[in-house]
Amino acid sequence: MFESVESRGVDQILALMQAFRADPRPGKVDLVVGVYKDAQGRVPVMRAVKAAERLLIEAEDTKTYVGMAGDADYRAHAARLLLGNDAPQIAEGRVTSLQTVGGSGALRVGCDLLKSLNADMKLWVSTPTWANHVPVATDAGLRTDAYPYFRPSDRGLDFDGMMAHLDAQSAEGDAILLHACCHNPTGVDLSFDQWKTVTDFLVARGLLPFVDCAYQGLGKGMEEDVAGLRHMAAHVPEMLIASSFSKNFAVYRERTGALTIMARAAEDIGAIQGAAETVIRSNYSMPPSHGARIVAAVLDDPALTADWSEELDEMRKRIASVRQTLRTMLEERQVTKDLSFVTDQTGMFSYTGFGPEAVATLRDDHGIYIAGDGRINVAGLSEDNLDAVADGFAAVMR
Ligand code: PMP
């Protein structure tokens, strides 16, 4: 039986990571993987995370199971970071968060939940979207369909195309996946006014929003990055949110995420949480503890919270400054194309618009690895490699 297995192919990003590791050239540059790197190219443990871990080692007195929904303290923090400390929906008891195995786990539990509620459920995703969205949804048994999003001509948002398509094609009861901020892979986000328009449309059409929030704090700020999401949450009856602390706490390998469910009424919460726990139970039963305890320990302690927030600000500012430097360097190299996208797009990613040929040239001639769709991880840029990257980009852009 095993000999007849057909490969589904390695994730393109993972294949590129392998090729990068095998490349012997000393000046090679990795702009592929979606992790935040500091100016020295490291993926550091945040100061407050280290401090919290020290506290936890001392304080932890049991390794007993955490339960299907995870750590209660962490779950409360997860909901408040997304919806706001004073969110009326939380006060009304209409919200529950479940601790999940990273943001990916939140997406999967959310999709499994939707499938269990409606076997015929369709999920709309943006074109393009994070490479794992469609595999997660289809493996959960959902049907997926795509709405226009990115416009290559100006590397911006095709909002009219998006809304016209959804208006023509979506049906009541469908779910729609939106990126809260720092859209992966394009870096192109909805404006606040566009969130309002989408919200009105979802309410009128009866669509269920499923918002993926993997980069809160890495775009414009912890509050700013969820302004659209909060507007939506205030106006739709029901909502799912998959959130991740992988990036904003830099705890990638601790697999720390949450599925937040907002119901129409407090009476609905017990049943919907039970349905989510059912899909968790038959999958991995219970989440791991460590990452969630770190996040809760930081957010329970005002001094640690302040330090974490300061370091996150530094990360966000570095990304913004590197975007500006790259743009200036390309302008200095006489690239005449409109470069505003470099500084307009937000978050860790930028969609360069480079086609397969340019991507190959960058890799083969310049040792610069970027994703096959032209996505770069801006946080992979640093003083050490900016010159080389600007030279390479200028060569393929001219
Ligand atoms: N959603 C998006 C848009 C992402 O980019 C990522 C991480 N690359 C995730 C979800 C999942 O994050 P995690 O590592 O926490 O599973």
Side-chain angles (χ1 to χ4, degrees), residues 203-382:
V203 172
R205 181 59 56 92
L207 296 187
L208 176 75
F210 190 171
V211 182
D212 185 358
C213 186
Y215 298 91
Q216 187 180 0
L218 285 154
K220 300 201 165 91
M222 281 299 289
E223 300 286 311
E224 295 85 339
D225 288 345
V226 288
L229 178 160
R230 286 182 186 172
H231 172 84
M232 188 170 276
H235 292 88
V236 298
E238 298 175 331
M239 185 167 183
L240 293 181
I241 307 167
S243 62
S244 168
F245 291 103
S246 298
K247 324 280 157 143
N248 56 14
F249 274 74
V251 288
Y252 308 89
R253 63 172 62 174
E254 303 299 351
R255 313 308 302 129
T256 314
L259 177 69
T260 295
I261 305 172
M262 187 182 84
R264 210 174 281 268
E267 302 88 83
D268 301 340
I269 279 293
I272 190 70
Q273 180 170 324
E277 286 177 352
T278 301
V279 300
I280 288 171
R281 181 72 176 147
S282 64
N283 185 345
Y284 54 86
S285 186
M286 289 173 201
S289 169
H290 191 62
R293 289 307 305 141
I294 293 170
V295 169
V298 170
L299 296 176
D300 278 341
D301 180 315
L304 289 182
T305 302
D307 189 43
W308 160 72
S309 170
E310 194 184 307
E311 195 168 357
L312 182 61
D313 283 352
E314 289 162 15
M315 290 157 67
R316 184 176 56 250
K317 284 182 187 146
R318 193 183 102 71
I319 292 173
S321 108
V322 149
R323 280 184 182 277
Q324 188 56 57
T325 309
L326 177 63
R327 180 174 174 179
T328 308
M329 286 180 139
L330 290 173
E331 282 162 358
E332 282 166 6
R333 282 162 178 74
Q334 267 76 51
V335 174
T336 49
K337 295 213 174 71
D338 180 10
L339 291 166
S340 50
F341 73 94
V342 179
T343 42
D344 286 352
Q345 297 173 352
T346 52
M348 260 163 44
F349 301 117
S350 183
Y351 224 41
T352 59
F354 295 156
E357 216 175 291
V359 172
T361 305
L362 285 169
R363 187 184 57 233
D364 299 342
D365 298 355
H366 302 273
I368 300 168
Y369 284 73
I370 76 171
D373 58 4
R375 183 193 86 169
I376 60 166
N377 175 10
V378 182
L381 296 168
S382 65

Side-chain angles (χ1 to χ4, degrees), residues 123-131 133-134 144-150 157 162 166 175-179 183-186 188 190:
L123 181 69
W124 288 91
V125 300
S126 60
T127 307
T129 195
W130 179 42
H133 278 150
V134 170
T144 62
D145 213 332
Y147 57 85
Y149 190 80
F150 184 73
L157 175 64
M162 168 180 171
L166 288 169
I176 172 171
L177 191 71
L178 297 156
H179 299 224
H183 183 275
N184 182 4
T186 68
V188 174
L190 298 171

Side-chain angles (χ1 to χ4, degrees), residues 13-30 32 363 367 369:
I13 299 277
L14 300 182
L16 276 168
M17 279 165 72
Q18 284 163 9
F20 179 80
R21 270 191 225 113
D23 189 331
R25 288 175 287 182
K28 63 186 177 175
V29 181
D30 173 14
V32 178
R363 187 184 57 233
Y369 284 73

